[in-house]
Amino acid sequence: MSPPRRKGFGPILAVVLVLAAAGGAAWWFLSPTAKSVDSVPTFKVVRGPLRISVTEGGSLQSLKSETIVSEVEGETKIAGIVPEGTVVTAEDVANGRVLVELDSSEIRNKLNRQEIAVSDAAAGVAQSRGALDIQLNQGASDVRKADLDVRFARLDLDKYLGAPVAEKVLASRNADGKRVLPEAKSLAEDPALEGEALQQARKLRSEIDLSDEEVSRARDKLAGTEKLLSKGYVSQDELVADRLALKRQEVSFDQAKTALTLFSTYEFPKQVEKLWSDLLEAEETLGRVRKQTDSSRSQAEAELKGREEKSRLEKEQFALLERQLAACVIKARTPGMVVYASSEDRGDYRDGQPIQQGTSIRERQAIISIPDPKRMGVRINVHESSLDKVKVGQSALVTIDAFPDRPLAGRIEKVATLPSGSNRWQNPDLKLYPTDVVLDDPPASLRPGMSARVEILVKDIEATLAVPVQAVGYAGGKPTIWVREGTLFTPRTASLGLSNDRFTEVLGGVSDGDLVSLAPPKESQKPGGSGEKRAPRNGASGAPKSPDASAAPDAAAMAGGKGGGRRREGSEQKGASDAGPVVDSTKGSSAPASITPPRPGGN
């Protein structure tokens, strides 16, 4: 029997080989000058065309659309709505096709109640206008009566003193020009005195008693008015009138007593003063009546104006309800395709209610939108690193995912001044600027929401030196390219120009025909550190598959031909020899991509 074979040698040998291979690989990565140059993928630098572009993804939408909102106050419900996707034609607009109908039952009830309010307000206006006419007539009558009282007071004075003496009394003035009553004695001695002075003595005595009673009554009335005023049952004007009446009666009482005293001495002075005072009082009353008439007329006019204003407001409210009722029926105003607002993810629908019959709608809440088919475009987000390359009016090439073989021409219409804040809570450091790209001639088959890719044409360079972005590393904080010289790769500080997502323009540091490494030393790719630049996010995930990638890039690749420079957001792109870097879709930066060098052998 042969001796049993020793087990375990094979696995041990395999482990030793793996460790040796790992050590060799580590030595290769850490000693770039010691590795075999034939195993490093290279790229031959040649002068050729280079297209600089910025590529971003987005969704197709109408850059101009009419949003139809509810103009009904408060909240209502959708009673009827056309199906989403309905195409509104120009004929529909001309015929007033109904797109949305809102529930109008509550508005109709309000309209009926408001119609009654309008009628009541109109009746109030008519009543106030009649009251004003009555006040005008009453005021005119009061003025005529007060004027007649003045005339009668003058006649009484003339009757008592006689016209000549009465004229002297009325014409008497002091040094200041004010009317004064002459001395009774002088009047009594006037030879022109006439009248019935002796007969008035008995009358003056009775006037004293009457005046005293009037003063008491006026005082009692004033006291009662003050109590009623404190309880709010009378107005301040009535209190003032009672005070004036009391004062008037007190004056009359004083005049009567004075007249009696004078009459006892001079026979008639008391009556002279009374008649003179009555005449003055009548004249003052005439002035008060005129002012009171004007005040009452103004008050009646103000009341009429207030009721007219109320009537106007009631009519306006009635007209508003009529407009609200009309707003419940929304008709087509512009042609286009009906898109429900809830389908546009606006986020203003409570409880996630979609737009449909029976959905509650608030005032100013969007219901549907009608995109303008002639203003179709793509709204993209441009990263801040590419913002300086993007200008209004630049040409762009738009590829719709649904029609990948039919690229459409467009142009940049608008670039936002401030970055979008929609993703700020996810990544506060990410600055994206919304940019509108309008299509020059959109076909009718386009629909809002279709995925699209936009390539913004920045510049076409006719002839320049360019290298793949993964060929650029950093040494001492400066962009560096490793150029093959014999059996070694020599680092050269490079002066970089513009770049797209695959190639970088080299203005200095390399020459036409140089072979550059597509796998710079690992240390050159470390971000941060002393003076080192941080590579863009989402750098290249690998180098070219073939170790012999020295073939010059074709013109389509460098010039950004079909497929060159375009990508879906977040998708990998192929560089030279069908395995280029992955570039951050939000940047399109000219900085080199962060790459991982290939293993020896190029695989």
Side-chain angles (χ1 to χ4, degrees):
M1 295 178 62
S2 61
R5 299 182 59 183
R6 300 177 62 181
K7 297 181 180 180
F9 179 77
I12 294 176
L13 180 59
V15 171
V16 172
L17 293 177
V18 169
L19 293 176
W27 172 83
W28 187 88
F29 281 119
L30 298 177
S31 302
T33 58
K35 59 189 175 183
S36 173
V37 294
D38 294 333
S39 64
V40 178
T42 58
F43 176 84
K44 185 177 182 180
V45 180
V46 294
R47 187 175 299 275
L50 179 63
R51 169 168 289 179
I52 306 301
S53 63
V54 177
T55 305
E56 300 290 349
S59 297
L60 193 66
Q61 57 183 291
S62 175
L63 300 181
K64 179 182 179 183
S65 63
E66 179 188 17
T67 300
I68 296 178
V69 301
S70 172
E71 297 180 0
V72 178
E73 293 181 353
E75 185 176 284
T76 185
K77 292 185 178 181
I78 298 177
I81 188 170
V82 297
E84 188 172 22
T86 300
V87 177
V88 180
T89 63
E91 183 179 358
D92 293 334
V93 175
N95 296 332
R97 180 179 180 180
V98 177
L99 302 181
V100 181
E101 186 172 357
L102 303 177
D103 183 17
S104 60
S105 58
E106 182 63 25
I107 296 178
R108 293 183 186 277
N109 293 335
K110 291 181 179 179
L111 196 61
N112 293 333
R113 293 193 295 268
Q114 189 62 31
E115 187 175 6
I116 297 175
V118 170
S119 300
D120 292 343
V125 170
Q127 181 180 0
S128 296
R129 187 173 285 114
L132 176 61
D133 293 338
I134 293 174
Q135 179 60 43
L136 292 176
N137 294 332
Q138 182 65 42
S141 177
D142 292 343
V143 169
R144 287 194 300 268
K145 182 178 181 301
D147 184 64
L148 187 61
D149 290 341
V150 172
R151 293 171 58 189
F152 286 168
R154 173 63 186 271
L155 290 175
D156 289 341
L157 185 62
D158 290 346
K159 180 181 178 181
Y160 188 77
L161 296 177
V165 176
E167 187 67 29
K168 291 180 181 179
V169 170
L170 296 178
S172 178
R173 298 287 190 276
N174 61 11
D176 296 332
K178 295 182 179 180
R179 298 169 63 177
V180 295
L181 180 66
E183 293 184 1
K185 185 177 181 180
S186 64
L187 294 177
E189 296 175 354
D190 194 314
L193 179 65
E194 299 176 357
E196 302 172 348
L198 294 177
Q199 298 178 1
Q200 294 297 323
R202 292 187 294 272
K203 181 179 180 181
L204 290 174
R205 291 188 182 95
S206 64
E207 285 290 336
I208 293 175
D209 297 335
L210 293 175
S211 297
D212 184 56
E213 183 65 20
E214 291 295 331
V215 168
S216 299
R217 291 180 59 188
R219 185 175 292 110
D220 293 341
K221 185 178 181 181
L222 177 60
T225 302
E226 289 176 343
K227 293 180 179 179
L228 293 176
L229 178 63
S230 64
K231 297 181 179 180
Y233 294 137
V234 297
S235 64
Q236 185 69 28
D237 292 341
E238 293 181 9
L239 178 64
V240 173
D242 290 344
R243 286 176 178 172
L244 290 175
L246 175 60
K247 183 177 181 180
R248 183 168 59 249
Q249 296 303 328
E250 290 174 345
V251 170
S252 297
F253 179 70
D254 292 338
Q255 289 175 348
K257 290 192 301 180
T258 302
L260 180 60
T261 302
L262 293 176
F263 183 81
S264 300
T265 306
Y266 302 104
E267 300 289 338
F268 68 94
K270 187 265 180 186
Q271 182 63 17
V272 172
E273 184 173 352
K274 180 181 183 304
L275 292 176
W276 181 75
S277 177
D278 288 345
L279 178 59
L280 295 182
E281 184 66 24
E283 292 175 346
E284 292 176 358
T285 301
L286 176 61
R288 289 196 299 270
V289 168
R290 286 175 175 169
K291 292 180 179 179
Q292 181 64 36
T293 299
D294 292 340
S295 176
S296 299
R297 183 183 67 252
S298 299
Q299 183 177 357
E301 290 175 346
E303 183 178 0
L304 174 60
K305 184 177 180 181
R307 293 198 174 183
E308 287 177 341
E309 181 67 16
K310 180 181 179 181
S311 178
R312 182 185 67 82
L313 294 176
E314 297 291 358
K315 290 179 180 178
E316 287 184 356
Q317 182 65 22
F318 183 80
L320 174 62
L321 289 174
E322 286 185 324
R323 292 194 297 271
Q324 292 281 294
L325 182 62
C328 290
V329 179
I330 301 176
K331 299 180 179 180
R333 295 190 291 264
T334 58
M337 179 184 294
V338 174
V339 179
Y340 289 174
S342 56
S343 300
E344 297 178 336
D345 193 21
R346 298 193 179 193
D348 56 354
Y349 288 87
R350 296 171 296 176
D351 303 327
Q353 291 185 349
I355 292 295
Q356 61 184 2
Q357 187 174 355
T359 298
S360 296
I361 297 295
R362 302 184 302 276
E363 183 182 6
R364 308 309 303 171
Q365 181 174 340
I367 304 176
I368 61 176
S369 62
I370 309 293
D372 186 353
K374 297 180 181 179
R375 293 283 296 167
M376 298 297 289
V378 182
R379 181 161 294 169
I380 60 176
N381 291 320
V382 177
H383 192 271
E384 59 181 337
S385 62
S386 299
L387 194 62
D388 60 337
K389 301 178 184 178
V390 178
K391 308 294 181 184
V392 174
Q394 281 180 325
S395 299
L397 199 62
V398 180
T399 302
I400 310 299
D401 285 4
F403 312 103
D405 297 331
R406 295 166 56 187
L408 305 174
R411 66 184 184 281
I412 297 179
E413 185 180 59
K414 180 182 178 182
V415 179
T417 304
L418 299 176
S420 172
S422 58
N423 294 325
R424 188 169 298 172
W425 64 275
Q426 293 178 335
N427 187 354
D429 296 329
L430 183 61
K431 300 298 188 295
L432 302 178
Y433 290 78
T435 301
D436 291 342
V437 180
V438 62
L439 297 178
D440 293 337
D441 188 17
S445 57
L446 297 183
R447 294 291 183 270
M450 289 182 172
S451 298
R453 300 188 309 278
V454 178
E455 181 184 4
I456 302 173
L457 307 179
V458 179
K459 183 178 181 181
D460 277 327
I461 304 175
E462 295 183 359
T464 187
L465 298 179
V467 298
V469 292
Q470 65 264 39
V472 181
Y474 285 88
K478 297 181 180 179
T480 304
I481 298 176
W482 279 259
V483 181
R484 180 172 178 174
E485 295 181 356
T487 59
L488 298 176
F489 284 95
T490 302
R492 295 183 186 177
T493 300
S495 176
L496 305 180
L498 299 174
S499 66
N500 55 30
D501 56 355
R502 296 178 60 195
F503 290 92
T504 298
E505 181 184 17
V506 182
L507 303 178
V510 297
S511 302
D512 195 353
D514 285 346
L515 291 178
V516 299
S517 171
L518 293 178
K522 190 173 183 179
E523 292 79 358
S524 68
Q525 302 301 322
K526 292 180 180 179
S530 177
E532 297 295 332
K533 294 185 178 179
R534 185 177 298 274
R537 298 165 297 160
N538 298 334
S541 59
K545 295 180 180 180
S546 172
D548 186 12
S550 59
D554 54 46
M558 288 187 62
K562 184 177 180 180
R566 298 186 196 150
R567 51 176 165 71
R568 297 174 184 267
E569 287 190 332
S571 64
E572 294 186 353
Q573 292 296 308
K574 295 184 178 181
S577 302
D578 299 326
V582 175
V583 181
D584 185 356
S585 63
T586 63
K587 285 191 172 183
S589 172
S590 61
S594 176
I595 64 171
T596 301
R599 297 182 181 276
N603 295 324

